[in-house]
Amino acid sequence: MQEQVKKTDSGIEIKKVYTQKDLPAEKDGEQLPGKFPYTRGVQSDMYRGKLWTMRQYAGFSTAEESNKRYLFLLEQGVMGLSVAFDLPTQIGYDADHSLAEGEVGKVGVSICSIEDMEILFKDIPLDKISSSMTINSTAFILLAFYVALAKRRGIDLKQLTGTIQNDILKEYAARGTYIYPPKHSMRIITDIFEYCGTHLPKWNSISISGYHIREAGSTAVQEIAFTLSNGKAYVQAALAKGLDINVFGKRLSFFFNAHNNLFEEVAKFRAARRMWAKIMKDLGATDEKALMLRFHTQTGGATLTAQQPLNNISRVTIQTIAAVLGGTQSLHTNGFDEALGLPTQQAASIALRTQQLVAFESGIADTADPLAGSYFVENLTNEIESAALELIQKMDEMGGSVSAIENGFMQNKIAESAYDYQKDIEANRKIIVGVNQFQSEETSQIPIFKVDESIRQQQVDKLTILKNKRDANKVAACLAAIKDAALGTTNLMPPVVEAVENYCTLGEIADTLRTVYGEFQA
């Protein structure tokens, strides 16, 4: 009987045994954490100095309901907030728009105005808590809401810490919540880079995301290849605008997925750090912090199963360990019930406790990069880097990420990988416990979190009151100023901040730019 060949989820063949001969040739400095190219981590002492930021991604229904969940999570030991927005907010529609019907507050919180933002962060000190916002095509508007709120509270903007995802390229390739064509979206993003460099020096102006690329079905290799290629495109666009790579480069962050193949995931994170340091150096960065790949990780939503959902606690634990062994700076752990619906309070608590158990009971955080020197992990890090660089080179030959997206290269590669993975599950070549092996009759009833259908009417009523009490002339003048900036070269952020301060809504601002830029048709 022929022995079965073992491969990682990216198709990299795994040998039966690894020895010293499989170690890559050692280069000066590369064996130390905190040293270029940061394979072993961006800090010399890693978690001995400071643990990763423990986040819980949350947002649903109204700002009032989401605020209650945030305050609960902070009481439980969360170190930073991570905000989920509903679909209308993500694609630039207010709750009273006809296209928002049936979606308000469903997959995240509905935010239409500065008033919603005030309620969302009620009793939360913006200068002490780091806030991450998963928002892309309307990221500039949500950032403006946050800035306007901080100004109202008298907070020095230079003290604000957090991240907006603001990664539009992966939306065209994998997720779909885009509004404007790529060229105009890139202009908005570089305006945000410029604005943050001046006004919010501690704020991460982008979180270049591999997470959604992986959720769409990519392999680990494709995840980092496509993400780092997108990162190159953003850097090149910022350089073309005349921005300093050693300034904006320090505020770039990344967002990766953690799946169940433990060693491949650890090697992926190590390879990504090394690759990005070299990419940035080649693009002209000299500041150490501009060379460092800092990243947030979320455990794999696509790996969670509706069958035997309690098994997901074990999956999330493996993924948490992979992220920490891989050197993440920030981590969100999924609730075990997320294949069924939004996480309940109990599921969110268990997910946070998983991080705390790994941090304080496992010993994994006691030394930097504990798997360094492993024959297998070092070899796999090299293999992943080599395969990812090959993909990046192909995209560079096409003209970079934007061209690779426009001609469908990224989308096709992701679709092929997703199809192959599903075929392997159906043919039992890939075992998913409780799905295609070890099935059992489901007996326990898992409570499912549901959002009240009356949410939309509540939001519409609030919008009606807001629009009736605001100064209509000021609103018109603010929207006209945004249009003028969009037609010219003036940075968009200052007029958008002024607009939200004068109660312009998210939908009105997004629509103003729709009249200038149009909408992207896939």
Side-chain angles (χ1 to χ4, degrees), residues 131 133 135-136 139-140 143 160-168 188-198 200-208 234 238 243 247-254 294 493:
S131 299
M133 295 187 277
I135 195 76
N136 296 283
F140 67 106
L143 178 61
L160 294 180
T161 59
T163 305
I164 42 170
Q165 191 162 103
N166 195 28
D167 173 14
I168 202 65
I188 295 170
I189 286 168
T190 54
D191 276 4
I192 293 170
F193 286 0
E194 184 178 52
Y195 179 83
C196 289
T198 304
L200 286 84
K202 292 184 178 180
W203 190 270
N204 296 325
S205 50
I206 194 168
S207 176
I208 306 159
Y234 293 126
L243 303 184
V247 175
F248 74 79
K250 289 188 281 192
R251 302 320 306 172
L252 304 177
S253 66
F254 288 80
R294 297 165 300 112
M493 284 304 298

Side-chain angles (χ1 to χ4, degrees), residues 110-344:
S110 172
I111 300 293
C112 303
S113 72
I114 181 69
E115 289 189 345
D116 286 331
M117 205 69 164
E118 279 187 301
I119 296 164
L120 186 69
F121 287 99
K122 186 174 182 286
D123 299 325
I124 295 170
L126 302 186
D127 52 344
K128 293 181 175 64
I129 295 295
S130 167
S131 299
S132 171
M133 295 187 277
T134 303
I135 195 76
N136 296 283
S137 58
T138 54
F140 67 106
I141 307 173
L142 271 300
L143 178 61
F145 283 147
Y146 201 83
V147 167
L149 178 57
K151 286 170 70 177
R152 279 190 179 187
R153 293 186 183 178
I155 295 169
D156 181 358
L157 298 185
K158 290 181 168 57
Q159 297 308 310
L160 294 180
T161 59
T163 305
I164 42 170
Q165 191 162 103
N166 195 28
D167 173 14
I168 202 65
L169 289 178
K170 65 93 176 47
E171 295 297 323
Y172 302 113
R175 194 162 173 264
T177 66
Y178 46 74
I179 303 174
Y180 316 110
K183 184 178 90 169
H184 302 299
S185 293
M186 293 294 275
R187 180 261 169 99
I188 295 170
I189 286 168
T190 54
D191 276 4
I192 293 170
F193 286 0
E194 184 178 52
Y195 179 83
C196 289
T198 304
H199 300 282
L200 286 84
K202 292 184 178 180
W203 190 270
N204 296 325
S205 50
I206 194 168
S207 176
I208 306 159
S209 176
Y211 184 84
H212 302 98
I213 290 170
R214 193 70 179 278
E215 288 291 285
S218 82
T219 65
V221 165
Q222 289 168 347
E223 179 188 355
I224 61 168
F226 296 158
T227 305
L228 299 190
S229 179
N230 287 347
K232 274 179 73 174
Y234 293 126
V235 171
Q236 288 163 339
L239 289 171
K241 192 181 176 73
L243 303 184
D244 185 344
I245 193 170
N246 287 318
V247 175
F248 74 79
K250 289 188 281 192
R251 302 320 306 172
L252 304 177
S253 66
F254 288 80
F255 175 24
F256 291 121
N257 211 313
H259 274 218
N260 293 325
N261 194 315
L262 180 71
F263 295 109
E264 180 173 47
E265 294 301 297
V266 173
K268 175 190 79 178
F269 297 132
R270 298 173 90 248
R273 261 195 306 271
R274 186 158 73 200
M275 290 166 66
W276 185 245
K278 292 174 182 176
I279 286 168
M280 287 295 276
K281 192 172 186 179
D282 288 345
L283 289 168
T286 54
D287 189 298
E288 278 191 4
K289 290 191 175 176
L291 298 168
M292 293 177 181
L293 182 146
R294 297 165 300 112
F295 66 98
H296 169 72
T297 309
Q298 182 173 340
T299 56
T303 69
L304 304 181
T305 65
Q307 301 93 327
Q308 301 177 25
L310 291 176
N311 292 345
N312 294 329
I313 298 174
S314 299
R315 292 186 176 100
V316 169
T317 303
I318 292 167
Q319 294 160 12
T320 301
I321 290 168
V324 174
L325 287 172
T328 193
Q329 277 62 66
S330 170
L331 179 61
H332 160 76
T333 33
N334 289 330
F336 69 84
D337 54 358
E338 290 190 48
L340 302 169
L342 291 169
T344 59

